[in-house]
Amino acid sequence: MDMWLSLFWGSPIGLGIFLVCVGGMIYLIAKADEIKKRTEAFAKEKGLEKKKE
């Protein structure tokens, strides 16, 4: 029970773990968006983009 209380939301450790996870998600989403933009720009430059019909 002591371990549960030390890792719960209200504790500094639990809050720190939560903030690290949120930061990691924001970082990964931003990185994925940057890779998507680079891929689209590369495809457009090479003429590989899909034609809309």
Side-chain angles (χ1 to χ4, degrees):
M1 187 66 177
D2 291 334
M3 188 66 128
W4 171 253
L5 290 175
S6 66
L7 297 176
F8 195 62
W9 291 111
S11 72
I13 295 172
L15 199 58
I17 292 171
F18 172 73
L19 291 175
V20 166
C21 291
V22 169
M25 285 295 292
I26 291 171
Y27 171 76
L28 290 174
I29 290 170
K31 190 171 180 76
D33 189 45
E34 179 186 346
I35 291 172
K36 180 183 170 202
K37 286 180 182 177
R38 286 186 182 190
T39 304
E40 288 175 352
F42 178 77
K44 188 175 182 181
E45 179 184 319
K46 295 291 183 181
L48 300 173
E49 70 272 2
K50 296 178 181 176
K51 306 265 191 290
K52 292 185 179 178
E53 297 178 4

